[in-house]
Amino acid sequence: MNRKRIYVCCGTGIATSTVIVKKVSEFLDENKIQYDISQCIVSDIPSKVANKKPDLVISSTTISADIGDVPVVLGRSFLTGIGKDKTKQEIQEILGF
């Protein structure tokens, strides 16, 4: 299986995205998925996607910019714990494992 490219973003690219990166990384490691994960600011997503298209974007907030056909998952459940299993299932379906 080839490495999955994932961007995780939040408003500042620091606080909430760091928590989401940690929890998503643990989830992917548990499932033996190879990945490259980067965190950034929501406003940087369009340029990052244009530069290197990811397999998935996980965001703590809504992304209003057009990023084409790149799938986006709302990652708030990794912060609150509410609906986390559903979010994990979404990630599994998108990444195909």
Side-chain angles (χ1 to χ4, degrees):
M1 181 181 280
N2 34 332
R3 295 181 81 78
K4 302 298 183 182
R5 181 182 315 280
I6 302 166
Y7 296 144
V8 176
C9 60
C10 68
T12 63
I14 300 169
T16 56
S17 61
T18 300
V19 173
I20 295 171
V21 163
K22 183 178 184 291
K23 294 187 178 183
V24 169
S25 295
E26 289 170 356
F27 172 59
L28 296 174
D29 290 343
E30 288 169 7
N31 287 280
K32 297 178 178 32
I33 302 302
Q34 295 182 356
Y35 60 92
D36 292 316
I37 195 164
S38 303
Q39 63 190 89
C40 61
I41 302 168
V42 171
S43 59
D44 288 346
I45 283 293
S47 63
K48 288 185 79 67
V49 167
N51 187 34
K52 280 194 177 173
K53 185 177 176 182
D55 297 290
L56 172 63
V57 172
I58 302 173
S59 179
S60 67
T61 187
T62 303
I63 298 174
S64 57
D66 179 17
I67 58 171
D69 62 349
V70 175
V72 178
V73 170
L74 196 56
R76 278 191 215 132
S77 65
F78 289 109
L79 304 170
T80 65
I82 300 167
K84 188 166 58 172
D85 289 339
K86 184 175 183 242
T87 304
K88 286 181 177 180
Q89 184 178 2
E90 259 186 282
I91 292 168
Q92 281 182 299
E93 289 170 5
I94 291 166
L95 297 181
F97 68 92

